[in-house]
């Protein structure tokens, strides 16, 4: 099982930095997507596909999905250690969150490169 030392990094400060860096990546991605959608004259399948066609955009989107997974893991790990006192429930919750985050990352990779 995951256990008490299941933080994403080596320390609380490392996790804090991981959350801040992931938030920055997500902010940049949100700004770019908002700009792209606002400057697209016609929003249909072709224009949506054109936005995500370049490899750099696929990598940027993949980085955003990794960032949201890291951000979610760090935040939910903190919540679980603060509020889920029984170790079995906390470990199960953390395992479910970890598997969901890894699943979202794998799913994104399959969508772009599968």
């Amino acid at each position: 099982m995951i256990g008490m030392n299941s933080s994403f990094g080596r320390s609380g400060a490392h996790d804090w930095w991981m959350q801040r860096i992931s938030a920055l990546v997500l902010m940049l991605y949100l700004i770019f997507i908002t700009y792209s959608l606002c400057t697209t004259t016609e929003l249909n399948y072709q224009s949506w596909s054109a936005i995500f066609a370049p490899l750099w955009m696929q990598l940027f989107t993949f980085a955003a999905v990794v960032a949201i997974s890291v951000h979610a893991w760090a935040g939910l790990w903190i919540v679980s250690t603060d509020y889920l006192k029984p170790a079995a429930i906390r470990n199960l919750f953390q395992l479910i969150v970890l598997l969901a985050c890894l699943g979202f990352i794998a799913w994104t990779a399959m969508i772009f490169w599968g």
Side-chain angles (χ1 to χ4, degrees):
M1 280 303 218
I2 294 176
M4 289 299 290
N5 293 328
S6 58
S7 68
F8 205 54
R10 293 174 283 287
S11 66
H14 186 266
D15 290 347
W16 186 88
W17 276 109
M18 293 297 289
Q19 251 193 329
R20 295 323 176 262
I21 292 168
S22 64
L24 179 63
V25 170
L26 291 171
M27 181 186 69
L28 293 172
Y29 187 76
L30 179 64
I31 290 169
F32 181 79
I33 287 293
T34 302
Y35 173 78
S36 295
L37 294 177
C38 288
T39 58
T40 301
T41 56
E42 196 175 324
L43 190 56
N44 54 31
Y45 178 77
Q46 288 78 21
S47 62
W48 189 254
S49 293
I51 291 172
F52 291 95
L55 179 60
W56 66 267
M57 185 59 187
Q58 293 172 8
L59 292 172
F60 192 21
T61 301
F62 187 75
V65 171
V66 170
I68 202 165
S69 296
V70 168
H71 198 87
W73 170 253
L76 290 172
W77 183 84
I78 292 167
V79 169
S80 70
T81 56
D82 286 347
Y83 295 108
L84 298 176
K85 295 304 176 189
I89 293 172
R90 182 179 57 248
N91 289 340
L92 178 62
F93 175 79
Q94 290 175 356
L95 179 63
I96 290 168
V97 171
L98 179 62
L99 291 175
C101 289
L102 292 174
F104 292 137
I105 291 169
W107 189 18
T108 303
M110 286 189 303
I111 289 170
F112 283 130
W113 306 295

